[in-house]
Amino acid sequence: MVLACTLFVPGFLLGRLLNPSPPPLIVERGGAGLAPLTAFPESAGKPEPARGAAEPAYGADGTANERPTDPAEVVYVCGARTKKGTPCQRRVRGPDRCWQHRGARAILPPSKLVVPG
């Protein structure tokens, strides 16, 4: 026990002296050079038509899977059982399951899957 302590303490001190701790992390908030978050270009939310395609590309990566939500469209939650045992709260289009719970059954009744509003 004494031998372990006599080897550990000098080794610890030598290691601390040779490898000093990094400087403290400083987080600066705000800044005069930053633009406000509300200043978006006019075309930021509008989909651009794909080159040579009949239907427009909606997503940021140009995929048609990410179509915009129609205001009159009914939005649902997945409702499948998670590992925790609670219903999944991911929003989906139609009474389907999310990408992670494809093929799983909902543990909530269909009336509870509709997102109000």
Side-chain angles (χ1 to χ4, degrees):
M1 179 72 167
V2 174
L3 179 64
C5 288
T6 56
L7 292 176
F8 176 76
V9 172
F12 179 77
L13 293 175
L14 184 65
R16 294 289 289 175
L17 289 175
L18 293 179
N19 190 12
S21 63
L25 177 65
I26 299 172
V27 178
E28 294 181 13
R29 296 183 181 229
L34 299 176
L37 293 177
T38 57
F40 290 115
E42 292 297 323
S43 62
K46 297 177 185 172
E48 295 180 13
R51 293 182 198 109
E55 63 180 57
Y58 291 108
D61 58 350
T63 60
N65 296 342
E66 301 175 23
R67 63 182 171 85
T69 306
D70 180 22
E73 186 177 11
V74 179
V75 179
Y76 295 82
V77 292
C78 174
R81 183 182 304 273
T82 61
K83 287 182 180 181
K84 198 175 181 181
T86 59
C88 176
Q89 294 298 312
R90 286 195 181 112
R91 292 176 181 230
V92 293
R93 296 175 191 265
D96 293 327
R97 303 290 82 74
C98 66
W99 65 271
Q100 190 175 7
H101 298 112
R102 281 284 170 222
R105 293 176 358 129
I107 61 174
L108 294 175
S111 63
K112 298 277 186 179
L113 294 178
V114 178
V115 176

